[in-house]
Amino acid sequence: MKSFYLIISVYCFLLLLVLFTGCSKDDTPEIEDPKPEEEESFKYTSEKEYNLNVVYFIPTDVEERKESHRRLSEILLHGQEFYKNNMQGYGFGNKTFNMLVDQSKDRVKIIYLNGKYPTLNYPYEGGGAKVIEEVDAYFAANAGEKNSEHTLILTPVVDHDNPDVPFYGWGRYCFALDYTEMDVKYFGKNSKRGNDATKYIGGLLHELGHGLNLPHNKEKLSETVIKSKGTALMGSGNYTYGKTPTFLTEASCAILNNCQVISDYEDVFYTSVSLQINNISASYNNGQLNISGAFTTDESVNYVCFYNDPATDNADYDAVSWASPVIGGNTFNISMPIDELHQKENTPYVLRLRFCHANGEISKFSYSYRLKNGEPVIEFGDKENYDRANWQVIDFSSEENNEVASNVLDGDANTFWHSRWSQNATTFPHYLVIDMNKVLDVKGFSFLQRDGMRKVKDIEILVSTDNTQWESLGDFQLKDVNTLHHINLVEKKSFRYFKFIANSAFDGQQYAAMAEIKCF
């Protein structure tokens, strides 16, 4: 019997020894406190009119994670300071995202909202819309609780290594998750807890950036080795935040400067705007891509941001950005060293311009160029297009009500021709025949795609002097951009009529649309 007890004692000792030595002190699991945090009263205040809404959305099968109010308050205050330091660094002043805070207790106001269903009903794919529906219903019933158009929604999970909850930006909503050990105290730890803190807290602040109007972008090549820079938060910064240098780019801060919960603007935010680029020019000199132009708008613009996005994938995480203040008279000018781009050899690029309106709205335009042997081949800029006052569309395959074929000649970027879709929808090929009213010497064509779906991809152009005998100029591929771009002919051609034939669309659907067609 003594031998039996001795064996049991040795076994238990060895088991405890394995458990103790198998985990580092930092990775020792914390014991979940079954008792909820004691209720406290808080006095939340803010000097600003608009403040970020923070919602803790709890599915029916998950409990609030331990000390969530303390942990998340510390995370958000940490992030608030990070945003402020970056805004100050670029000269935007002492600005960051505003929140309702009890300053004496360092607690952020968080709305705890019980969901109607278990976690399974709010998956990563499609669950965001369901959560937003319940959050909006809460705000509709409690109007005083909504403090801005920007809302961060956090969902607690039991197993953060295998979560299936929304974790992304969706317009001015953004989603992240919460788990018991998500805590700023683990930043910098060389352990799973430390890595998870960077991943999920960095991820929270990355998605919050989306909820505050930010697109993705990547750091300039030179910024990767600057101690105060490193990795852009809106690029891969959710994997470096709290561990290695992470920052917001100047373009991100220029957009944040006009965000409702950051800006000093005192009028109504996010009202509709209209902006028209009057002219734009591009050149390459001394290793720099130079872009300049002028615009008209009905709502003031203070900054223009330039995103150089390699068109080698469908993501924009690798878009290197610049920002420039608007010069007097609504003009802009930027010089961007090509050496700052990460991809240089034979790479197609989309240049995305974002005009930052004071009321928080952003007008977006896209252009295309490509790098060949490390130098830009510029495929956009103003051309001396022919006057189209006497041009006519004399034939077409189909058109839609209010989206008629003649819209491609009306000079209005906001109107467009669309193939018939409402009933008896037509399929490719779609075509338009245009009469220029006289024979012209043409060097090329300019196309403005619809700003939205149904952008035309593959086309053929036929030309004629008599509308009877036709000659094909060949097959071409248009750009998936919403600004005027050009097709240069191999040699100048003389003709009066031309036939535009659309053979496919970028979205893979059977429809076609086009805003403007010109010649030069």
Side-chain angles (χ1 to χ4, degrees), residues 201-270:
I201 296 175
L204 184 159
L205 294 176
H206 174 106
E207 301 308 337
L208 176 59
H210 288 315
L212 301 178
N213 304 329
L214 296 184
H216 290 126
N217 66 354
K218 188 177 181 69
E219 62 278 357
K220 299 182 183 73
L221 199 58
S222 66
E223 291 171 328
T224 61
V225 294
I226 299 175
K227 290 184 179 179
S228 61
K229 302 289 186 180
T231 305
L233 178 69
M234 299 312 295
S236 301
N238 51 316
Y239 295 103
T240 59
Y241 184 86
K243 181 189 298 183
T244 59
T246 307
F247 73 108
L248 290 166
T249 65
E250 185 177 12
S252 289
C253 289
I255 292 173
L256 290 172
N257 186 52
N258 297 325
C259 174
Q260 185 189 46
V261 296
I262 296 176
S263 174
D264 291 331
Y265 185 70
E266 296 181 353
D267 209 333
V268 180
F269 282 83
Y270 306 129

Side-chain angles (χ1 to χ4, degrees), residues 404-441:
V404 295
S406 60
N407 284 347
V408 299
L409 303 177
D410 68 358
D412 186 347
N414 297 311
T415 64
F416 53 89
W417 159 71
H418 199 301
S419 60
R420 189 170 64 244
W421 57 267
S422 60
Q423 56 183 354
N424 300 321
T426 55
T427 60
F428 288 109
H430 306 288
Y431 69 84
L432 303 172
V433 178
I434 294 174
D435 178 5
M436 302 189 297
N437 201 40
K438 62 181 179 181
V439 174
L440 297 174
D441 296 328

Side-chain angles (χ1 to χ4, degrees), residues 8 28 46 127 185 499 508:
I8 293 299
T28 303
S46 173
K185 70 182 181 183
K499 187 174 186 178

Side-chain angles (χ1 to χ4, degrees), residues 69-301:
H69 195 192
R70 174 194 64 78
R71 291 184 296 95
L72 293 171
S73 292
E74 291 176 358
I75 288 169
L76 290 169
L77 292 171
H78 192 284
Q80 192 180 53
E81 191 70 13
F82 169 82
Y83 273 67
K84 182 177 73 174
N85 290 339
N86 280 269
M87 294 291 285
Q88 288 178 326
Y90 294 111
F92 289 103
N94 187 29
K95 295 180 180 179
T96 187
F97 56 90
N98 306 315
M99 297 185 292
L100 288 163
V101 179
D102 185 323
Q103 299 293 345
S104 66
K105 298 180 179 179
D106 290 330
R107 292 292 183 270
V108 173
K109 180 178 180 180
I110 300 176
I111 299 169
Y112 285 81
L113 179 60
N114 291 315
K116 296 179 180 179
Y117 309 104
T119 304
L120 187 65
N121 288 67
Y122 310 106
Y124 180 90
E125 295 289 346
K130 297 177 181 178
V131 174
I132 288 173
E133 183 179 354
E134 293 187 38
V135 170
D136 283 351
Y138 173 82
F139 283 138
N142 301 271
E145 293 288 275
K146 186 173 183 180
N147 290 281
S148 72
E149 297 301 316
H150 298 271
T151 303
L152 167 64
I153 304 172
L154 298 143
T155 304
V157 296
V158 175
D159 181 8
H160 66 280
D161 289 323
N162 297 285
D164 186 19
V165 294
F167 204 129
Y168 39 72
W170 187 335
R172 297 187 182 108
Y173 295 91
C174 52
F175 297 88
L177 57 77
D178 178 46
Y179 60 94
T180 297
E181 296 178 346
M182 192 168 83
D183 202 316
V184 294
K185 70 182 181 183
Y186 296 122
F187 274 151
K189 301 287 186 181
N190 185 24
S191 63
K192 185 177 187 305
R193 278 188 190 151
N195 292 334
D196 286 351
T198 284
K199 177 180 178 180
Y200 289 106
I201 296 175
L204 184 159
L205 294 176
H206 174 106
E207 301 308 337
L208 176 59
H210 288 315
L212 301 178
N213 304 329
L214 296 184
H216 290 126
N217 66 354
K218 188 177 181 69
E219 62 278 357
K220 299 182 183 73
L221 199 58
S222 66
E223 291 171 328
T224 61
V225 294
I226 299 175
K227 290 184 179 179
S228 61
K229 302 289 186 180
T231 305
L233 178 69
M234 299 312 295
S236 301
N238 51 316
Y239 295 103
T240 59
Y241 184 86
K243 181 189 298 183
T244 59
T246 307
F247 73 108
L248 290 166
T249 65
E250 185 177 12
S252 289
C253 289
I255 292 173
L256 290 172
N257 186 52
N258 297 325
C259 174
Q260 185 189 46
V261 296
I262 296 176
S263 174
D264 291 331
Y265 185 70
E266 296 181 353
D267 209 333
V268 180
F269 282 83
Y270 306 129
T271 56
S272 62
V273 298
S274 175
L275 187 144
Q276 181 73 43
I277 294 180
N278 299 328
N279 59 76
I280 187 168
S281 61
S283 63
Y284 177 66
N285 304 104
N286 300 320
Q288 303 206 57
L289 177 60
N290 307 298
I291 309 293
S292 61
F295 62 91
T296 55
T297 181
D298 61 356
E299 178 63 50
S300 63
V301 170

Side-chain angles (χ1 to χ4, degrees), residues 62-74:
V62 181
E63 294 182 355
E64 172 198 340
R65 299 293 87 195
K66 181 183 177 184
E67 293 190 275
S68 63
H69 195 192
R70 174 194 64 78
R71 291 184 296 95
L72 293 171
S73 292
E74 291 176 358

